[in-house]
Amino acid sequence: MMLQVKDIDVYYDKVQALFGVSIEVNQNEVISIIGANGAGKSTLMKTIMGLNRPKKGSIAFEGQRIDTAKAHTIVGKGIVYVPEGREIFPEMSVIENLEMGAFSKKYTKSQMAEKIQEAYDLFPRLYERRNQLAGTMSGGEQQMLAISRGLMSDPKMIMFDEPSLGLAPVLVDEMFDAIVKINKEKKKTVVIVEQNAFMAISISDRCYVLRNGMVTMEGESRELLGNEEINKSYLGGH
């Protein structure tokens, strides 16, 4: 097992956001986490990433506890988080943003060039925009950059927080195709948090449903696609 989140409680000040949440992620899996706004999905991601601390429970990555580790240490262990809202460096060029994604690595010049080329291969649009300031690009292009910057440190596991948020439908398809490619071709383990539940479940192996800070359902994605409650609550009768 690659990641094991076990029975964690997480608070913001005195307000409890997660209640006894447990999830497991195996190597090379795509795991989706779905739920309404405010269900605790982003809180879970940030807690795995060391940005929140669980009051109770444990988080282990490749058998090592990480629930007290700092975020930069967790990146060094091979987990990357692509946050909601993209959070690229707007005043830097595309190339500079990509280079920033490799800050935890000691790449040679040729290794850095190779990683940047991989980003261009995944999203050819980034090559066209390589010298452009990131803040002047469209939302879709910024999301491509955020994903590519996450891959620059060659993570073992990459977590996506609402990658389709605010994107045109045609770009949503492109984004999910890229995530599948990252899993299949680049052999990365993927955790995806999404409000577009149908797309998330469609590309994942297993799915967890969060409601009010608790895991209320989990299972193989193909089985959950046929679940009446999931269908009604999250898929709009897909």
Side-chain angles (χ1 to χ4, degrees):
M1 188 187 309
M2 186 170 250
L3 178 77
Q4 184 174 43
V5 176
K6 206 169 178 184
D7 206 24
I8 62 169
D9 289 351
V10 177
Y11 289 76
Y12 289 114
D13 293 325
K14 292 192 169 71
V15 180
Q16 191 165 355
L18 295 180
F19 300 79
V21 168
S22 297
I23 73 164
E24 292 180 353
V25 182
N26 298 310
Q27 198 165 349
N28 287 342
E29 270 191 317
V30 179
I31 297 294
S32 57
I33 299 169
I34 65 169
N37 244 342
K41 305 185 303 293
S42 291
T43 299
L44 175 57
M45 296 289 97
K46 288 173 179 168
T47 306
I48 292 167
M49 207 62 232
L51 303 171
N52 297 326
R53 290 269 173 260
K55 277 268 172 71
K56 177 176 156 284
S58 63
I59 303 171
F61 183 67
E62 295 188 320
Q64 286 185 313
R65 287 279 292 265
I66 59 167
D67 44 89
T68 57
K70 290 187 163 59
H72 66 87
T73 305
I74 291 170
V75 171
K77 288 182 183 296
I79 304 179
V80 157
Y81 174 53
V82 180
E84 181 187 339
R86 307 187 252 286
E87 293 185 16
I88 45 133
F89 300 104
E91 301 298 321
M92 290 183 175
S93 69
V94 167
I95 289 181
E96 288 166 340
N97 265 274
L98 292 172
E99 288 171 348
M100 286 297 286
F103 79 95
S104 65
K105 295 287 186 180
K106 300 280 186 282
Y107 289 143
T108 63
K109 209 171 174 185
S110 66
Q111 285 171 326
M112 181 70 89
E114 197 178 307
K115 295 304 290 179
I116 289 173
Q117 186 55 50
E118 282 178 23
Y120 296 155
D121 291 343
L122 185 64
F123 294 116
R125 197 96 46 92
L126 292 182
Y127 177 71
E128 294 164 23
R129 302 277 188 271
R130 62 193 180 280
N131 297 312
Q132 193 170 323
L133 290 185
T136 65
M137 298 198 303
S138 72
E141 289 164 348
Q142 289 183 18
Q143 185 62 282
M144 293 172 192
L145 179 56
I147 290 172
S148 299
R149 187 184 63 188
L151 287 168
M152 285 295 293
S153 65
D154 198 19
K156 297 170 183 175
M157 184 174 96
I158 186 162
M159 303 191 296
F160 298 99
D161 198 346
E162 303 284 5
S164 75
L165 197 67
L167 299 185
V170 64
L171 278 175
V172 172
D173 288 343
E174 194 175 331
M175 222 49 71
F176 278 94
D177 286 347
I179 291 168
V180 169
K181 201 178 276 190
I182 287 163
N183 171 247
K184 297 279 184 281
E185 293 178 15
K186 297 188 181 298
K187 305 284 185 239
K188 306 292 182 195
T189 303
V190 170
V191 179
I192 180 167
V193 158
E194 252 298 338
Q195 273 194 286
N196 187 335
F198 181 72
M199 287 296 275
I201 295 176
S202 298
I203 68 162
S204 62
D205 300 301
R206 290 186 301 113
C207 176
Y208 290 87
V209 180
L210 271 185
R211 183 176 287 165
N212 300 326
M214 290 178 271
V215 174
T216 57
M217 205 180 288
E218 60 182 272
E220 301 230 343
S221 297
R222 61 176 180 273
E223 287 169 14
L224 291 188
L225 271 176
N227 180 286
E228 202 174 317
E229 189 190 332
I230 297 273
N231 218 302
K232 205 164 63 183
S233 301
Y234 302 106
L235 305 182
H238 255 285

